[in-house]
Amino acid sequence: MANKSAPNFLVIVADDLGFSDCGCFGSEIQTPNIDALAAEANAIRFTNYHVAAACSPTRSMLMTGTDHHIAGLGELAEFTRSSVAHQGQPGHEGYLNERVVALPELLKDGGYHTMMAGKWHLGLKPQHHPIQRGFNRSFALLPGCANHYGYEPQYDDPEIEPHKFFETATRALHVEDDKFVQQLPKDFYSSDAYASKMVSYLSERTDEEKSKPFFAYLPFSAPHWPLQAPKEVVEKYKGIYHDGPDALRLKRLQRLKDMGLVEKDVQPHPVVRCEGEPQKWEDMPADVREKSARAMEVYAAMVDRMDWNIGKVIEYLKQTGEYENTFVLFMSDNGAEGASYEALPILGDEVVAHIAKYYNNSLDNIGRGDSFVWYGSQWAQAATAPSRLFKQYSTEGGCRVPLVIRPPLPKSDSAKPSPGSVTNAYCTVMDIVPTFLELAGLKHPGTSYKGREIAPVRGKSWGPFLTALSSKDPTAIGSLNIHGEDYVTGFEISGSGALRKGDWKIVFVPAPRGPQKWELFNVKEDPGETKDLRDAEPALFEEMMKLWEEYKKDVGVIGVAGEYPTVMLGHKAPIRDEFDDPYGWIKFMGRPERVPEHLKHVVPV
């Protein structure tokens, strides 16, 4: 069982938040609660924290401490259902599989009370819901994204609409504990609802439950598209982005340098622009610039509102006296989302037509519940600079994200809590499970859990790092490491691969945003991944490629782009069985009156 002094845990995850999107990481967006957290005694901002380059893969690693290709989310399920090569392969089930044990299961076994409110994205079927993976209470958004106001258009033909791309991205399908939520409140807004539900779960605990430490998981679905936020919050940012993304990028970079979060001489990766996407800001028509700036205003408002809701939960814990012994962690699940779906071949025209038919994207309506916009690659690269690219790429821009932790203050009189500090120690999301278990006084079961074989943890506890940090002069933080030079981490999402060992990293970026070949970088000296050293360091490159092949075989990576048939998002692969495609059932789940006759035996209601 957990130690008597075991801390509570509050884990907060933002969805598609860029590296510099919070004030304490250089943003102009108002995030006073996250900033206050980062400034507290004993708090740490991590500038070298890495995740997978997409949301559910990262969330699976956060829950298990092992690689997402093992845990069941080798790729986003939305990708796998469109790929012949990935379907049916081990580790690509599209849900948190039985080869892993989840952190809330272990904490619950160890005497914790476990709760979540927010985005799950780790399985749609009832047997894969949060309550089956260790949560006592849960209010969960099941798909990867949805309308933040719960709005759904009235389709002409609900049986075949919406279009395949939108069927996984529109309906706000939620489950509370073991029941589908039939009707969301009329005033539903995702961030408000998740924070309020978390406060409710905390306040509704029985005396027995209050006697236990708690694990509270608060994964927001903001600021993932569709970009939507309360109008009064959007108004705060009116006119701030009229100079465009390149100007914002320069401002953010300068603030990062001024704050000491990146080196002053860092070489940022150039902005990558592809055919079909907007080019230079000044060359765009005025009305296009106006709508683009408005989309960014709404994005900022989503981050602002999320922060306000984080404050609501923290304030509750302070009022109950539980905050002091709560380990708070705030992170993003991947780099900023830079996809421009309207520019994709074939799919782009279909997406544009569907939005034009069912949504109102007029300037004054952008951000409302019946609008549907994203902000595109150039705004995303303003948020990930100085890094290269963004979500879906295993570059630093896709995998390096903001992390703030605030451990409880040390009990020892000799310990010296430092004011909010910064570390550049390399670490990954897989470290969280072993860290929390050590702090709770619990052990991971290793390779067996309740009679089934499971994958061991691949991360490393931050316990020794945190202990060393609290006992040293704050100025010594730069010399403290978490992982040694020989620690190897692999990455792969949507055919973009990478492998890191010490300061060295090989990266594969598919065309058209990359050269469709492996490159080699020293990411300590060149975090922007601007100088390919493959030809200058041939022996090292060969060694790294051997490690990649070992990693690929070990965890079950299917391959990088070009090693399997091209995948077209929004189009199901021909071999996919409709009777085993839960992402095609989202519009029917929990709605028995809408389920087509031929699917009634498989769709959970």
Side-chain angles (χ1 to χ4, degrees):
M1 298 297 285
N3 293 331
K4 286 185 178 180
S5 60
N8 306 309
F9 297 108
L10 172 60
V11 176
I12 306 164
V13 180
D15 198 356
D16 292 0
L17 185 80
F19 184 76
S20 64
D21 278 335
C22 296
C24 55
F25 278 85
S27 184
E28 73 294 334
I29 301 173
Q30 297 174 32
T31 54
N33 293 292
I34 299 168
D35 299 349
L37 182 73
E40 283 194 46
N42 221 37
I44 311 170
R45 278 171 289 167
F46 288 73
T47 60
N48 206 358
Y49 174 65
H50 287 69
V51 296
C55 30
S56 57
T58 290
R59 290 157 197 260
S60 73
M61 295 196 292
L62 170 63
M63 286 288 111
T64 66
T66 193
D67 193 280
H68 61 95
H69 296 90
I70 293 171
L73 282 300
E75 304 288 350
L76 292 168
E78 297 86 343
F79 178 94
T80 299
R81 72 194 292 255
S82 299
S83 173
V84 174
H86 293 80
Q87 285 178 22
Q89 296 302 314
H92 294 76
E93 294 86 358
Y95 55 84
L96 209 58
N97 62 29
E98 293 299 304
R99 297 167 67 194
V100 292
V101 60
L103 177 61
E105 294 178 280
L106 297 176
L107 291 176
K108 184 179 178 182
D109 292 346
Y112 272 74
H113 183 66
T114 55
M115 304 158 281
M116 81 157 281
K119 173 176 163 177
W120 179 236
H121 205 193
L122 296 176
L124 289 172
K125 294 180 180 179
Q127 59 266 38
H128 305 137
H129 291 175
I131 199 167
Q132 303 294 339
R133 299 314 297 248
F135 284 102
N136 294 108
R137 300 300 314 273
S138 61
F139 179 77
L141 173 67
L142 295 178
C145 63
N147 189 288
H148 292 279
Y149 286 99
Y151 168 82
E152 277 186 89
Q154 296 299 307
Y155 300 114
D156 291 344
D157 190 343
E159 188 166 325
I160 64 171
E161 289 185 294
H163 174 272
K164 290 290 181 287
F165 174 82
F166 290 92
E167 69 182 358
T168 64
T170 302
R171 184 186 173 198
L173 173 63
H174 287 78
V175 63
E176 184 158 26
D177 299 332
D178 60 349
K179 292 182 173 59
F180 288 109
V181 176
Q182 300 296 326
Q183 187 72 45
L184 294 169
K186 287 186 178 179
D187 62 349
F188 178 86
Y189 178 69
S190 65
S191 296
D192 294 2
Y194 301 149
S196 295
K197 183 64 72 171
M198 181 56 73
V199 170
S200 294
Y201 286 159
L202 287 163
S203 63
E204 292 167 2
R205 286 171 294 165
T206 65
D207 289 342
E208 181 187 355
E209 290 166 347
K210 286 180 180 177
S211 71
K212 301 177 178 181
F214 67 75
F215 173 73
Y217 180 43
L218 184 59
F220 289 95
S221 58
H224 195 298
W225 56 261
L227 303 183
Q228 297 164 331
K231 190 170 185 177
E232 66 274 15
V233 187
V234 179
E235 288 295 318
K236 292 168 61 176
Y237 296 93
K238 192 170 184 178
I240 289 180
Y241 302 107
H242 66 275
D243 288 336
D246 289 343
L248 178 65
R249 182 171 178 267
L250 292 174
K251 291 175 184 174
R252 293 269 188 99
L253 266 172
Q254 189 57 52
R255 278 197 293 270
L256 286 168
K257 293 176 183 180
D258 293 343
M259 296 170 76
L261 299 176
V262 301
E263 296 294 334
K264 291 193 181 297
D265 60 352
V266 67
Q267 179 66 41
H269 194 280
V271 173
V272 178
R273 294 180 171 89
C274 290
E275 186 178 348
E277 293 180 343
Q279 298 302 302
K280 289 288 186 180
W281 184 253
E282 57 271 19
D283 296 334
M284 294 164 57
D287 62 323
V288 175
R289 290 201 304 268
E290 205 171 8
K291 281 192 172 185
S292 181
R294 178 62 48 82
M296 182 62 209
E297 291 168 9
V298 176
Y299 177 92
M302 293 178 79
V303 177
D304 183 307
R305 189 68 169 194
M306 177 185 67
D307 177 86
W308 180 79
N309 278 291
I310 290 170
K312 189 162 61 176
V313 176
I314 288 176
E315 181 57 30
Y316 174 84
L317 294 176
K318 288 180 177 178
Q319 289 175 2
T320 61
E322 295 173 285
Y323 182 72
E324 186 177 336
N325 193 39
T326 299
F327 188 113
V328 184
L329 182 150
F330 170 80
M331 60 174 276
S332 179
D333 61 353
N334 46 247
E337 164 67 283
S340 299
Y341 294 103
E342 73 281 3
L344 295 178
I346 305 176
L347 177 62
D349 291 342
E350 297 173 356
V351 167
V352 170
H354 181 89
I355 291 175
K357 183 177 181 179
Y358 288 117
Y359 294 91
N360 175 7
N361 282 351
S362 62
L363 178 65
D364 289 341
N365 201 60
I366 289 175
R368 306 288 71 75
D370 61 343
S371 66
F372 202 110
V373 301
W374 38 77
Y375 69 1
S377 66
Q378 294 183 46
W379 292 112
Q381 289 176 89
T384 60
S387 299
R388 179 187 189 186
L389 292 173
F390 39 77
K391 178 182 177 180
Q392 297 284 26
Y393 295 95
S394 296
T395 56
E396 293 298 279
C399 299
R400 188 174 74 145
V401 298
L403 169 69
V404 179
I405 67 168
R406 197 235 48 156
L409 287 171
K411 300 289 192 294
S412 168
D413 291 336
S414 62
K416 300 175 182 176
S418 59
S421 52
V422 178
T423 177
N424 194 44
Y426 174 76
C427 56
T428 84
V429 66
M430 292 185 290
D431 299 335
I432 292 172
V433 166
T435 300
F436 280 18
L437 291 178
E438 180 178 342
L439 294 175
L442 300 171
K443 291 189 180 297
H444 191 274
T447 57
S448 178
Y449 179 72
K450 293 188 176 179
R452 72 175 194 268
E453 187 177 340
I454 59 167
V457 163
R458 287 176 172 252
K460 179 181 178 181
S461 172
W462 298 336
F465 174 81
L466 296 175
T467 300
L469 181 63
S470 65
S471 62
K472 287 181 180 288
D473 184 300
T475 58
I477 187 171
S479 63
L480 297 175
N481 293 317
I482 293 172
H483 294 285
E485 287 295 305
D486 292 332
Y487 184 71
V488 174
T489 320
F491 303 84
E492 185 275 325
I493 289 290
S494 304
S496 176
L499 183 130
R500 177 162 174 162
K501 181 182 179 185
D503 296 332
W504 292 93
K505 180 180 179 184
I506 51 170
V507 184
F508 184 98
V509 179
R513 296 198 189 275
Q516 189 93 1
K517 70 173 186 178
W518 286 97
E519 301 168 282
L520 173 68
F521 302 100
N522 183 315
V523 284
K524 182 178 182 179
E525 297 177 0
D526 180 25
E529 298 172 6
T530 63
K531 303 178 186 71
D532 179 12
L533 301 176
R534 171 177 174 164
D535 293 336
E537 300 279 356
L540 177 59
F541 177 74
E542 280 303 312
E543 177 194 340
M544 296 288 281
M545 285 305 303
K546 286 178 182 176
L547 290 172
W548 165 259
E549 290 300 330
E550 291 173 10
Y551 165 75
K552 178 181 173 182
K553 182 178 180 181
D554 185 26
V555 304
V557 174
I558 302 304
V560 293
E563 295 179 346
Y564 55 82
T566 301
V567 176
M568 189 172 294
L569 290 177
H571 292 264
K572 288 193 292 187
I575 64 167
R576 189 72 188 198
D577 185 348
E578 186 181 13
F579 298 136
D580 189 29
D581 181 22
Y583 276 79
W585 309 340
I586 290 173
K587 58 189 173 186
F588 303 130
M589 285 181 169
R591 294 171 168 173
E593 74 283 359
R594 296 195 186 187
V595 182
E597 196 65 37
H598 70 288
L599 290 177
K600 283 187 174 177
H601 66 295
V602 291
V603 176
V605 294

